[in-house]
Amino acid sequence: MSVDLNKNRVSLQEAWKDVLNDKTKTNWALFGYEGQTNSLKVVSTGCDGIAEMCEDLNSGKIMYAFAKVNDPKTSLDKCVLINWQGEGANTVRKGLCANHLRDIERFFSGAHLTLNARNEEEVEPELIIEKLKKGGSEYRFKVRVDPIEPAAPVGTTYQRVNPVKEINSQERDKFWKKEEEEERKRIEGEKQKKQAETYKLELEIAQREEKETKLREEQTLLRHNSIDQIKQNEKHNEKIEMFIYYNSRLPIQSVENNNISDDESDQFSTIKRSPKDNTKSSVTPTSPETNKNQENKDELVQNIEQITDQQFVDEYIYGLNKPIFQARALYDYQAADDTEISFDPGDVITNIEQVDEGWWQGLAPDGITYGLFPANYVELIE
C-alpha cells in the first residue's frame, strides 16, 4: 500500500519549505504516520539542529526527517533526508513501508543525502557531515510542488488494494536481505560482547579462588606449625618434669649401715649400708670387711653423684644403655633413710637398675618410692 501524502499535504509542505527557507530559524522537521495508517503527518519541528531532533525520534516507529546541516568545508547549508526505522518497530510494518521512501524522496525534494538509520548513533551530526563530504560539495536545489489533486469518490469500480502486488518484489527482497544482514551483525556483536564479559567474569572468579586457596594453605601451614611448636614445648616440659622427678630420687647422701642381727651378719656380710653421718659411723665397730663394703658403697654414691644430666636423660628417662628388670623379695627389708626402699617377702620391685654388684635401685611395691636396696635380698623375675 502506497503512502498517503494528500491528507496532510499542506502542513507537510509548509514544514518542508520552512526548513529550506534561509530567512527562518527552523532547520529540521520530523514526520510520521497517523496510527497504523499510511497517512503521513508532521510530528515536530525545531531550530537547534539534529541533536534536538533526536529527542523526538521513537525507537518503536518508522519516521522521516528533513534537516539542514552546515558543511564546514564549504560553509554552505546542505539538506539530508533521514529514513528512521526504530529497532523496536514492527517487522511487518517495516515491510509495508519499504516502498514509501521513493515517494517521500520525490515529495521532499532538494536533499543532498538520504540516510537510513536505526538508532541515535547513526544520526550523529559528525557522521552525517562526513557522509555529506563524501557525496560531493555541489549544491543542487530544486523545489517542486505537486498540485493538489482532489480525491475521486469511490465508485462501483473500487478494488481493494493488495499490498503484495504493490510492493516491488526486488526492493522487498533487497530490503529484507539488508535487514537480515544487520540483524545478524547485531546478534554476532552481542554474542561476542557476552562471551568477553563471561570470560572476564570467569577469570576474576578463578583469580579470587586461587588467592583464597593460597591464603587458606598459608593459614593451615601456620596453624600446623603452631601445633607442632606447642607439642614440642609440651614434650620438652614433660622431659623436664621427669628429669626433676627422677633426679629428686637419686641418692645424694651416703647410704647408712643396716642393722643386721649377728646370725645374719655372716650370710649378708657384703651387704652393708653407708653410714648416715659421722656420729653413727663412729658408734658402729669397724672391721676390714666392713671397711671394704664401706669403700664400695662410698664409690657407688660417688658414681651416682657424678651422673651428668645428659646421662640421666639417656639412662633414666629414655631407658638407654641399661636394661630394666623386676624382682621378687626373698626377705623383708626396712629402709634406713629416704634413699632406700622397704619391702616384705614376696613383694615385687620394678624398674630395677643394677647400679652396683651389691646394691640395686628400683621402684618399691607402693609404686611411689624409688631408692636403693640390697641385691641379695631379691631374685630376678624373667
Side-chain angles (χ1 to χ4, degrees):
M1 184 179 293
S2 61
V3 61
D4 183 5
L5 299 173
N6 293 325
K7 182 177 180 180
N8 301 308
R9 178 179 289 270
V10 176
S11 60
L12 293 174
Q13 289 184 342
E14 288 180 352
W16 166 60
K17 290 179 180 180
D18 199 19
V19 175
L20 293 174
N21 192 351
D22 295 334
K23 296 181 179 180
T24 63
K25 296 183 178 180
T26 304
N27 54 17
W28 64 270
L30 186 64
F31 311 97
Y33 294 98
E34 291 183 346
Q36 297 298 323
T37 68
N38 291 330
S39 298
L40 201 66
K41 67 174 183 177
V42 178
V43 176
S44 60
T45 60
C47 57
D48 289 334
I50 294 178
E52 180 187 25
M53 180 197 69
C54 291
E55 297 178 359
D56 293 343
L57 292 175
N58 191 326
S59 61
K61 295 183 179 181
I62 298 175
M63 308 176 77
Y64 306 92
F66 192 85
K68 185 166 54 179
V69 181
N70 184 266
D71 185 358
K73 183 177 181 181
T74 60
S75 299
L76 297 176
D77 291 333
K78 294 186 177 181
C79 298
V80 59
L81 179 63
I82 300 174
N83 177 23
W84 174 261
Q85 297 179 346
E87 293 180 343
N90 185 276
T91 305
V92 177
R93 183 65 176 168
K94 289 181 180 180
L96 293 175
C97 298
N99 288 332
H100 293 179
L101 182 60
R102 290 179 299 174
D103 296 334
I104 293 173
E105 284 180 330
R106 287 195 298 266
F107 187 82
F108 299 119
S109 61
H112 295 80
L113 174 68
T114 299
L115 177 66
N116 295 319
R118 297 179 58 187
N119 51 61
E120 294 182 1
E121 295 178 355
E122 296 178 353
V123 292
E124 292 288 340
E126 294 79 4
L127 180 62
I128 294 175
I129 292 174
E130 186 66 25
K131 290 187 177 182
L132 283 171
K133 290 180 180 179
K134 294 179 180 179
S137 60
E138 183 181 357
Y139 185 82
R140 296 190 298 262
F141 175 72
K142 180 180 178 181
V143 178
R144 180 180 60 81
V145 179
D146 295 334
I148 301 175
E149 298 179 359
V154 178
T156 56
T157 59
Y158 173 77
Q159 294 180 354
R160 186 177 180 180
V161 177
N162 188 348
V164 178
K165 292 182 179 180
E166 293 208 1
I167 296 176
N168 187 289
S169 60
Q170 294 181 353
E171 291 292 333
R172 180 187 59 195
D173 294 341
K174 183 179 179 181
F175 171 80
W176 284 114
K177 185 177 181 180
K178 181 180 179 181
E179 289 290 318
E180 291 176 357
E181 183 65 19
E182 292 179 353
E183 185 68 15
R184 185 188 65 79
K185 291 181 179 179
R186 184 183 65 82
I187 294 175
E188 185 67 21
E190 292 179 353
K191 182 179 179 181
Q192 293 178 356
K193 183 178 179 181
K194 186 175 181 181
Q195 289 177 349
E197 293 177 352
T198 303
Y199 174 77
K200 183 178 179 181
L201 180 61
E202 292 177 351
L203 182 62
E204 291 177 354
I205 294 174
Q207 291 176 349
R208 185 171 62 252
E209 290 179 350
E210 182 180 0
K211 185 177 180 181
E212 292 176 353
T213 302
K214 185 176 180 181
L215 180 60
R216 284 195 300 268
E217 291 177 353
E218 291 177 353
Q219 292 177 348
T220 302
L221 180 60
L222 181 60
R223 184 168 60 252
H224 289 171
N225 291 339
S226 300
I227 293 174
D228 292 341
Q229 185 64 34
I230 292 173
K231 289 182 178 179
Q232 291 179 2
N233 292 339
E234 290 178 351
K235 290 181 179 179
H236 181 67
N237 293 335
E238 289 177 358
K239 292 178 181 179
I240 292 176
E241 292 176 0
M242 293 176 66
F243 177 80
I244 295 174
Y245 173 77
Y246 285 106
N247 192 36
S248 63
R249 299 195 174 276
L250 285 176
I252 59 176
Q253 298 179 357
S254 58
V255 183
E256 144 182 34
N257 186 25
N258 184 24
N259 298 322
I260 304 177
S261 62
D262 295 338
D263 296 336
E264 297 175 349
S265 59
D266 294 336
Q267 182 180 358
F268 306 109
S269 58
T270 60
I271 305 176
K272 298 293 183 178
R273 303 182 186 276
S274 57
K276 272 190 177 181
D277 48 43
N278 295 332
T279 305
K280 290 186 178 181
S281 298
S282 60
V283 175
T284 305
T286 59
S287 63
E289 186 177 357
T290 302
N291 292 334
K292 184 177 180 181
N293 291 336
Q294 182 65 35
E295 291 176 359
N296 292 336
K297 287 186 286 183
D298 290 342
E299 183 180 358
L300 169 63
V301 172
Q302 184 178 1
N303 292 336
I304 293 176
E305 289 176 350
Q306 292 177 354
I307 294 177
T308 63
D309 293 344
Q310 184 62 41
Q311 290 173 336
F312 173 78
V313 172
D314 293 340
E315 297 180 7
Y316 292 90
I317 295 181
Y318 295 103
L320 300 177
N321 300 328
K322 292 185 178 182
I324 298 177
F325 306 97
Q326 60 181 355
R328 182 179 292 104
L330 299 175
Y331 315 100
D332 64 314
Y333 183 78
Q334 298 300 319
D337 53 29
D338 56 2
T339 64
E340 300 178 355
I341 60 173
S342 302
F343 49 80
D344 295 327
D347 289 343
V348 177
I349 298 93
T350 59
N351 295 338
I352 296 174
E353 296 188 31
Q354 299 173 342
V355 295
D356 185 72
E357 182 178 355
W359 291 88
W360 292 350
Q361 193 171 231
L363 187 63
D366 58 8
I368 299 175
T369 309
Y370 189 84
L372 293 168
F373 62 91
N376 54 1
Y377 271 54
V378 299
E379 62 175 352
L380 293 175
I381 302 175
E382 293 294 338

